Amino acid sequence: NAGVTQTPKFQVLKTGQSMTLQCAQDMNHEYMSWYRQDPGMGLRLIHYSVGAGITDQGEVPNGYNVSRSTTEDFPLRLLSAAPSQTSVYFCASSYRRLAGELFFGEGSRLTVL
Amino acid sequence: GDSVTQMEGPVTLSEEAFLTINCTYTATGYPSLFWYVQYPGEGLQLLLKATKADDKGSNKGFEATYRKETTSFHLEKGSVQVSDSAVYFCALSDLSAGSARQLTFGSGTQLTVLP
């Protein structure tokens, strides 16, 4: 089972560049989300989706866009990268009826210079 | 709003020592509580959960009891192993908050177990 797959695992960007972090899950989960992990701050929710065509903002959405055209995929877009977006990003998914029981990808480490 | 407070690390123990990682929470409703574990270079994995007061979650020798009176969900293990070295996150999901699928995480506690 592939579970939740994130790509790329590592990325270095210059300020102002754009990029997309990819996330795919093969468990037919309705719920998908993106978190960022920063030292001493735990995980903070960026955006989430409860199903195809439905997205909503989390705690720290500024500077990020998402879309959910299929159940399987939930890409995260950085339109104009800033050094403050240097972080480790995690995609997660779950069944809607099992709130809180998330399956995480392995993470994507992003550095913005 | 909801919040989770964990004991600050890092925590360093010898193999076979007793482990306690403290976690307290603030929530407006009746949250479910979770412990997640993150091994080096990996994503988080669900370790255990409890959905109502006095429930005890357990897995891989770890236990945590949902204490509503003290708003706590402390993680314990009687005898740690080197393979338990990881970062542990306490989290809550508040069903009454309107966004049941959102988790609020603590800041994480780094555990290192020495042979």
Side-chain angles (χ1 to χ4, degrees), chain A residues 11-19 21 35-38 44 46-47 60-65 76-89 108-113:
Chain A
Q11 183 72 48
V12 178
L13 292 178
K14 295 180 179 179
T15 297
Q17 288 185 317
S18 62
M19 77 157 298
L21 298 176
Y35 287 86
R36 59 177 289 172
Q37 183 179 28
D38 301 293
R44 292 181 293 171
I46 303 171
H47 286 285
V60 288
N62 292 341
Y64 308 95
N65 282 347
L76 178 72
R77 299 182 184 85
L78 285 71
L79 299 179
S80 179
S84 61
Q85 294 178 304
T86 294
S87 187
V88 180
Y89 292 85
S108 298
R109 182 176 293 275
L110 174 66
T111 301
V112 183
L113 303 176

Side-chain angles (χ1 to χ4, degrees), chain B residues 7-113:
Chain B
M7 67 182 287
E8 293 195 12
V11 175
T12 302
L13 296 174
S14 297
E15 206 164 25
E16 300 184 2
F18 184 86
L19 169 71
T20 300
I21 300 178
N22 290 337
C23 172
T24 58
Y25 67 89
T26 302
T28 54
Y30 304 95
S32 294
L33 301 173
F34 306 85
W35 277 100
Y36 279 82
V37 59
Q38 184 180 29
Y39 299 104
E42 298 184 10
L44 281 71
Q45 303 173 24
L46 178 63
L47 180 60
L48 53 84
K49 70 172 184 176
T51 58
K52 61 183 186 297
D54 300 325
D55 268 3
K56 177 184 284 188
S58 61
N59 187 25
K60 299 181 180 180
F62 291 89
E63 293 183 340
T65 301
Y66 188 162
R67 302 287 189 197
K68 186 178 179 183
E69 63 276 13
T70 55
T71 62
S72 64
F73 193 55
H74 305 321
L75 182 69
E76 297 181 335
K77 187 174 185 182
S79 176
V80 294
Q81 305 301 312
V82 172
S83 57
D84 294 327
S85 298
V87 181
Y88 293 81
F89 291 91
C90 186
L92 71 82
S93 176
D94 190 345
L95 296 177
S96 67
S99 298
R101 287 148 290 281
Q102 292 190 35
L103 276 177
T104 300
F105 284 91
S107 57
T109 301
Q110 172 77 55
L111 170 67
T112 301
V113 180

